[in-house]
Amino acid sequence: MILAPVVAVTTPKVRGVGFREVPKWRMTCGHERADDPRCPTCQSVPRESLVLDPKRVQARVNGFGVNANIPGIEVWMDCETSVRRRL
C-alpha cells in the first residue's frame, strides 16, 4: 500500500487580516427551534438549552388575558397611565 504524501498548507500572512476558529452549532435533525413534538432529536434537547419565546407568550396573553393558563408563567392585570397632550 502506498500512502500519499502529506503537504502542509500555509496561509500567507496579510497585514490587518486575522483568522480564528469559532465554535458553531446546529440541530442534527435540521430543526432550528427544537419544537417538533414528533422528532426524537428535538425531544432529547435538555430544557435548560431551550429559550422562551416572549413574542409567543405575549400573543397568548393578549388573546386570553388573565385566563391564558401557561404553566410556569404568572399573568395579571396591571394599570398603566397614559397622558396625551392636546395642541
Side-chain angles (χ1 to χ4, degrees), residues 16-82:
V17 177
F19 298 95
R20 65 186 175 121
E21 291 184 358
V22 292
K24 300 278 186 166
W25 67 273
R26 69 173 158 242
M27 295 286 293
T28 56
C29 61
H31 301 124
E32 291 182 13
R33 296 175 45 161
D35 58 355
D36 187 352
R38 295 171 303 206
C39 176
T41 303
C42 290
Q43 297 305 306
S44 68
V45 175
R47 286 185 53 84
E48 58 268 11
S49 297
L50 301 176
V51 177
L52 184 65
D53 186 355
K55 288 183 181 179
R56 292 178 79 180
V57 172
Q58 188 63 52
R60 184 167 178 100
V61 169
N62 288 346
F64 290 97
V66 294
N67 299 322
N69 193 19
I70 305 170
I73 295 185
E74 179 183 7
V75 181
W76 70 93
M77 297 301 286
D78 197 10
C79 186
E80 294 181 356
T81 304
S82 64

